[in-house]
Amino acid sequence: MSYTAPFNKNIDASLEVGDSLSKATLELLEEDNVPFRVQIQLETSMSIQNEGPHLDLIDWRHCTTEWALIESTDDNTFQLPDFNDVNVDCFPAVTDEEIASEVMRVGGQEWVDIANGKGWPAGYRPISIELSRVRLKIEKFIEGEWSRVTVMNIAIPMGC
């Protein structure tokens, strides 16, 4: 990904299936050599699997981590963490009825049946919690304080 200033306060982007930001390098180029800082936030969402097709509940409940500072590896170069090392075990407790209600709203009865395990081995429900979004807050140090440049909201393909 490559973006050029001036930046919008929020930038929405999405990755292609198979792409990953885990352990990626973020390089910020600045002619005036102004220091930047970058913070990261991860979000997970629920997904219902059906051996290929899947129903992602990205507009429902989430686990959203606190913002975490990413240390600069060099002047305005930042190494994103290995997402497998970030604790995202904060998905809120939900009942079977709440899941069924949301799945019905988004996908219909066929998906409710799948979420309840229809067509799967007894006792198995094809429900997973997966990374769905990465946010990068980029700030630069201007006149003695940190000023927001942008927040990048990057959607991650789920269920693949």
Side-chain angles (χ1 to χ4, degrees), residues 2-156:
S2 178
Y3 294 92
T4 305
F7 298 109
N8 293 331
K9 287 296 181 186
N10 290 296
I11 296 173
D12 292 320
S14 56
L15 293 184
E16 298 293 324
V17 173
D19 289 344
S20 174
L21 291 176
S22 185
K23 299 192 266 182
T25 300
L26 174 66
E27 184 177 9
L28 301 171
L29 305 175
E30 172 69 44
E31 292 177 5
D32 298 332
N33 204 24
V34 175
F36 287 93
R37 79 174 174 189
V38 176
Q39 297 180 63
I40 189 169
Q41 184 180 64
L42 303 181
E43 181 178 283
T44 61
S45 300
M46 185 176 285
S47 183
I48 313 301
Q49 309 299 311
N50 191 22
E51 294 188 28
H54 51 91
L55 180 69
D56 302 329
L57 306 179
I58 56 173
D59 294 322
W60 192 46
R61 309 239 175 111
H62 308 283
C63 163
T64 305
T65 65
E66 298 292 325
W67 287 102
L69 190 63
I70 300 174
E71 296 296 326
S72 177
T73 57
D74 202 353
D75 287 342
N76 295 330
T77 301
F78 302 84
Q79 181 76 41
L80 275 59
D82 181 338
F83 296 162
N84 294 320
D85 295 339
V86 179
N87 182 4
V88 285
D89 292 336
C90 60
F91 197 86
V94 294
T95 66
D96 290 343
E97 292 78 21
E98 290 172 317
I99 294 171
S101 176
E102 180 62 9
V103 170
M104 176 61 91
R105 185 185 75 76
V106 176
Q109 186 60 49
E110 176 187 356
W111 281 100
V112 172
D113 293 343
I114 293 167
N116 286 330
K118 183 177 180 181
W120 293 90
Y124 179 75
R125 295 180 67 198
I127 298 173
S128 62
I129 307 298
E130 301 178 24
L131 184 65
S132 57
R133 186 166 306 279
V134 174
R135 289 183 190 89
L136 298 171
K137 185 187 321 181
I138 301 170
E139 300 169 305
K140 67 181 180 177
F141 200 67
I142 301 172
E143 297 177 5
E145 63 184 39
W146 290 104
S147 177
R148 176 174 148 180
V149 174
T150 191
V151 173
M152 297 182 71
N153 297 295
I154 306 165
I156 307 297

